[in-house]
Amino acid sequence: MSTTQASTPETTRSVTRTVTQLVGQVRRTTQALSWISRAAWVLLTLGAVGLVAGRMLGWVELVVLGAGFTATVMVAAIFAIGRHPYAIGLRLREGRVVVGERAMGGVDVRNVGDRPVLPARIELPVGGSRASFALPALAPAEEHDELFVIPTARRGVITVGPVSSVRGDPLGLVRRSVLWTDPEELYVHPRTVRMGSSAAGFLHDLEGQETRDVTNADLSFHALREYGPGDDRRYVHWRSSAKTGTLMVRQFEETRRSHMVVAMSSQERDYGDPEEFELVISALGSLGLEAIHASKDLTAMASHEVISSTTTRRLLDDLTRLEAVHSPSTLVDLARAVTRDVQRATVVVLLCGSEVGPREIRAAGAVLPLGVRSLAIQARIGAESTVHRLGQVTTLTLGSLEDLPRGFRKLERV
């Protein structure tokens, strides 16, 4: 009985090793089979059919044709045989660029083996496309650098990589690839403009805006009252105290810092052209950057998400990822979200496209909190920059990003 108990663990380990070896062989076989393209499988099938049918029918031509197809695949497989003794690195010159700026990257390859390696090919996915570079034969310790340019005509996050080395035949029948790097992301930020004194003047009017809340210490004097326990003696009004014979202290109306909310519609139906959507994103980014640089309180929103506005990088990164959506929400729903989620806002800027009608803009302004200065920026590509009133909302028609500072100068005269 003890012999049986002793042999059981040994049998289990033996079975486990056998299964592991079989799994490893299956994986290697599957990996090797993945080198063969569909075209190669078709040629192998035609070759087998030609050989069998030629022998059965006695047609020498079919036998020769089948043998030719099979030999073609066999010769192609020879090109895939070879070592990949490389150390490959991917580098991007910058991780963040603005639309239209030149973005450069490079691939560094070094032969880490002790023998020369035959030529190969380097493949690099860039967004939805794929770049391919010829890699020459490399002596031991020899290096090769390859530079490439990344197109940045559109805003977005471009995934670059992973880099792979490929060996195969010129026809692409058999190819063997090895991955070397992890993919990296390139942020193509939207274009923005400096607002300068335009936005600064717009926000300056809101700084120190009074509320109806009474406080014991602030800047805006309100009234006098009798001194009470805990009051700060610095605010005792001695002249009034001498007249009344009772200590009197000053009361103030509470003031508040300007808190700007920029909220854009991300509904695709609100835009007559995709360029309008890009214009709105650039306008939001320009206003957001101006508020952050001026150390103003800022909240940025879209129809379906809150946009990070703690730093300029996070703001632009979130805007870079922003996409148009399809949902039943409207600009009025966006204004309701601002009223519900943002406390103590002093100015609200709603941004939308040309497909939003005047009635909807007027209704959106009506649901914003009382006392909030409201502005709507409506993108209309090529239109002249104009300012007009729609109920409680001042509306700025924006034809291009360069018109944004001029539009704000017009707002100062309204």
Side-chain angles (χ1 to χ4, degrees):
M1 185 174 180
S2 59
T3 304
T4 304
Q5 291 177 348
S7 62
T8 300
E10 182 64 29
T11 303
T12 303
R13 285 194 292 269
S14 176
V15 172
T16 302
R17 284 195 298 269
T18 303
V19 172
T20 303
Q21 292 173 358
L22 289 175
V23 170
Q25 292 176 358
V26 171
R27 286 180 177 177
R28 287 191 292 271
T29 303
T30 303
Q31 185 178 11
L33 292 178
S34 66
W35 302 349
I36 305 175
S37 66
R38 292 182 180 180
W41 284 116
V42 171
L43 287 179
L44 286 175
T45 302
L46 292 176
V49 171
L51 289 173
V52 173
R55 288 184 176 277
M56 292 178 60
L57 300 177
W59 288 5
V60 178
E61 293 83 355
L62 281 179
V63 174
V64 173
L65 189 61
F69 286 155
T70 304
T72 300
V73 177
M74 297 302 177
V75 172
I78 297 176
F79 285 89
I81 299 174
R83 299 175 303 127
H84 291 255
Y86 300 122
I88 298 180
L90 171 65
R91 50 186 169 84
L92 298 180
R93 189 176 67 179
E94 295 176 336
R96 289 165 174 81
V97 296
V98 178
V99 170
E101 287 186 351
R102 187 180 180 89
M104 298 289 297
V107 177
D108 303 324
V109 184
R110 183 167 60 93
N111 179 8
V112 296
D114 54 0
R115 289 182 295 176
V117 290
L118 296 175
R121 191 168 68 255
I122 295 295
E123 290 189 352
L124 174 68
V126 180
S129 60
R130 181 178 292 270
S132 180
F133 313 112
L135 183 62
L138 296 179
E142 185 178 359
E143 297 182 359
H144 177 78
D145 298 334
E146 195 75 45
L147 298 178
F148 58 91
V149 179
I150 304 173
T152 59
R154 301 289 297 179
R155 172 189 61 87
V157 180
I158 300 176
T159 301
V160 182
V163 180
S164 59
S165 60
V166 180
R167 292 191 182 278
D169 64 285
L171 299 178
L173 297 177
V174 180
R175 62 192 309 272
R176 176 189 171 199
S177 63
V178 178
L179 296 179
W180 293 99
T181 68
D182 294 325
E184 296 192 18
E185 290 184 336
L186 172 68
Y187 284 80
V188 183
H189 285 165
R191 291 180 55 240
T192 56
V193 293
R194 293 294 301 272
M195 299 298 297
S197 59
S198 304
F202 182 80
L203 291 176
H204 179 73
D205 295 338
L206 302 168
E207 190 69 48
Q209 182 176 352
E210 297 177 356
T211 70
R212 295 183 179 180
D213 299 329
V214 177
T215 180
N216 291 331
D218 214 307
L219 299 177
S220 180
F221 175 73
H222 175 62
L224 295 172
R225 63 170 176 81
E226 290 187 6
Y227 178 86
D231 287 339
D232 193 332
R233 293 185 179 182
R234 291 179 300 172
Y235 300 115
V236 173
H237 196 275
W238 297 106
R239 182 175 298 178
S240 298
S241 299
K243 289 181 180 180
T244 61
T246 304
L247 281 178
M248 304 294 292
V249 294
R250 298 180 181 90
Q251 278 189 305
F252 302 86
E253 285 186 333
E254 185 181 5
T255 57
R256 52 181 173 175
R257 286 171 49 85
S258 60
H259 183 164
M260 184 168 72
V261 180
V262 282
M264 65 167 288
S265 168
S266 52
Q267 301 297 328
E268 187 174 9
R269 67 173 180 275
D270 289 346
Y271 298 90
D273 187 281
E275 293 303 319
E276 289 183 1
F277 186 72
E278 298 300 322
L279 177 56
V280 162
I281 288 180
S282 293
L284 190 155
S286 301
L287 293 175
L289 292 180
E290 185 66 32
I292 293 174
H293 290 153
S295 299
K296 304 294 184 182
D297 293 334
L298 172 67
T299 299
M301 303 175 60
S303 296
H304 60 292
E305 63 182 288
V306 175
I307 301 169
S308 176
S309 56
T310 53
T311 63
T312 57
R313 170 174 287 191
R314 295 191 65 178
L315 172 67
L316 292 175
D317 283 353
D318 276 12
L319 290 178
T320 300
R321 292 185 177 275
L322 192 61
E323 299 291 342
V325 298
H326 299 276
S327 72
S329 64
T330 64
L331 190 67
V332 178
D333 297 324
L334 179 61
R336 289 196 182 100
V338 171
T339 303
R340 181 187 67 245
D341 299 335
V342 183
Q343 303 297 323
R344 302 173 67 83
T346 56
V347 57
V348 176
V349 182
L350 301 175
L351 301 101
C352 60
S354 61
E355 296 300 310
V356 178
R359 181 177 299 179
E360 187 174 348
I361 295 177
R362 186 181 292 108
V367 302
L368 292 174
L370 293 176
V372 171
R373 186 173 182 182
S374 55
L375 168 67
I377 298 179
Q378 188 170 34
R380 194 181 299 272
I381 299 296
E384 182 182 355
S385 178
T386 59
V387 177
H388 57 281
R389 295 283 298 181
L390 286 174
Q392 301 179 19
V393 184
T394 303
T395 303
L396 169 63
T397 301
L398 189 64
S400 67
L401 184 59
E402 289 69 25
D403 290 338
L404 188 61
R406 292 192 292 269
F408 267 75
R409 285 194 290 271
K410 292 180 180 179
L411 290 173
E412 296 177 5
R413 300 192 293 268
V414 176

